[in-house]
Amino acid sequence: MLQATLIDPCIKGTQNVLNSCIKAKVKRVVLTSSCSSIRYRDDVQQVSPLNESHWSDSEYCKRYNLWYAYAKTLGEKEAWRIAKESGIDLVVVNPSFVVGPLLAPQPASTLLMILGIIK
């Protein structure tokens, strides 16, 4: 279920957008990913601060059922693979949270956490 509703859309969506950019001869792509793609790993305390050379460990994500982080990590890695193969200049932003109009009927966990801090 998670494969079809979360993981595949993340990876296939990334592939579709970047392949469209290749066809349109776009030179630079800015991808909004997530800090979830770099922060979930057993050695996070030893390697902090984290930077663009770090990745969330997919086995760690599976072990703790961190499926969003798993999907975002695979999606971003796929973006880097496609960019390297096609010569696209890829820039990735890994925000901790994004605030704006809700796209889903219910607030996501990050927004609930921020609201908890504010209240």
Side-chain angles (χ1 to χ4, degrees), residues 9-47:
C10 186
I11 295 167
K12 290 178 182 175
T14 299
Q15 291 170 332
N16 290 341
V17 168
L18 286 172
N19 287 330
S20 294
C21 290
I22 292 167
K23 288 178 187 171
K25 301 189 185 326
V26 171
K27 292 182 170 79
R28 175 176 283 164
V29 173
V30 179
L31 173 72
T32 302
S33 184
S34 170
C35 69
S36 293
S37 68
I38 62 174
R39 68 188 271 192
Y40 293 110
R41 40 189 300 137
D42 288 311
D43 64 350
V44 72
Q45 296 299 322
Q46 291 79 28
V47 298

Side-chain angles (χ1 to χ4, degrees), residues 60-74:
Y60 181 98
C61 293
K62 289 179 190 176
R63 186 172 50 229
Y64 293 104
N65 296 317
L66 301 168
W67 301 113
Y68 176 79
Y70 179 77
K72 292 303 281 186
T73 302
L74 294 181

Side-chain angles (χ1 to χ4, degrees), residues 36 40 68 96-97 102 106-116:
S36 293
Y40 293 110
Y68 176 79
S96 296
F97 65 93
L102 292 180
Q106 299 295 322
S109 59
T110 304
L111 182 55
L112 293 173
M113 180 183 70
I114 299 302
L115 288 172

Side-chain angles (χ1 to χ4, degrees), residues 37-39 41 43 47-56:
S37 68
I38 62 174
R39 68 188 271 192
R41 40 189 300 137
D43 64 350
V47 298
S48 289
L50 300 172
N51 62 42
E52 67 278 359
S53 70
H54 299 102
W55 291 102
S56 286

